[in-house]
Amino acid sequence: MPGPECKLSAETGAPCVTDDSSSRLVPMFVYGTLKTGQPNHQVLLDGAHGHAAFRGRACTLEPYPLVIAGEHNIPRLLNLPGRGHRVAGEVYQVDERMLRFLDEFEGCPDMYQRTRLHVALEGTRAPLECFVYTTATYPPEWVHLPYLDDYDSQGKHGLRYNPRENR
């Protein structure tokens, strides 16, 4: 019979983390400002928020529309699988504390919704199911914005991200 360490958190859907099983980590795919070299990457490095370990670069198995939208030029992965491009990003193994922090940081469930998708992780053959922050509700014109396959806040798109501290 499975013990409590095998149950999922009712709050996050992730494996529960207890004091004696802090190694329970779940994969999180990041595609925007949380990636290495991007404006919000430092929150993944801050141990005060929980644990995040880089696992590798990855690409979504299905195409998705990745757009830059809104007054602050925020990257948004529209929850429209099958449209757009296969999106490049990174996978981090995060603990439940980091997952809860990221939910709040990403405005989940209002601004983004934490969903699951499959990625191809560099150096592996099997698809990996990851959590990801997608946008399910948005103005209809966002579907017609240019679709990116790899976000860079300083990219040739010319749409500079407005950091939180400047808003």
Side-chain angles (χ1 to χ4, degrees):
M1 176 178 257
E5 68 277 357
C6 296
K7 293 183 180 176
L8 296 180
S9 164
E11 182 180 329
T12 65
C16 293
V17 177
T18 62
D19 291 338
D20 61 347
S21 67
S22 59
S23 64
R24 297 264 183 219
L25 302 173
V26 296
M28 171 67 69
F29 177 73
V30 299
Y31 56 84
T33 65
L34 291 172
K35 292 189 315 182
T36 302
Q38 298 304 308
N40 293 322
H41 180 67
Q42 73 279 0
V43 302
L44 289 174
L45 305 177
D46 188 344
H49 305 309
H51 178 77
F54 180 74
R55 185 152 173 202
R57 291 204 33 88
C59 189
T60 59
L61 287 184
E62 285 190 85
Y64 283 86
L66 172 58
V67 301
I68 299 173
E71 67 176 306
H72 301 295
N73 294 324
I74 297 173
R76 308 272 192 147
L77 192 69
L78 305 185
N79 196 358
L80 292 170
R83 294 182 73 168
H85 305 289
R86 292 183 64 204
V87 175
E90 299 171 345
V91 174
Y92 289 82
Q93 292 292 123
V94 301
D95 65 9
E96 187 166 347
R97 192 163 127 215
M98 179 61 80
L99 198 57
R100 284 192 308 263
F101 169 80
L102 290 173
D103 279 353
E104 184 176 324
F105 185 81
E106 296 290 6
C108 182
D110 300 321
M111 185 168 159
Y112 290 97
Q113 296 75 48
R114 181 163 37 93
T115 58
R116 297 174 192 258
L117 55 65
H118 288 91
V119 300
L121 185 65
E122 282 184 359
T124 65
R125 290 184 178 196
L128 177 66
E129 184 178 59
C130 297
F131 283 122
V132 65
Y133 292 100
T134 62
T135 303
T137 55
Y138 45 84
E141 60 270 15
W142 286 11
V143 174
H144 304 292
L145 293 171
Y147 296 165
L148 305 174
D149 59 0
D150 194 359
Y151 175 78
D152 180 348
S153 62
Q154 299 295 314
K156 62 182 177 184
H157 50 72
L159 301 169
R160 298 295 170 248
Y161 173 74
N162 185 19
R164 292 166 184 254
E165 59 271 13
N166 295 343
R167 295 181 203 164

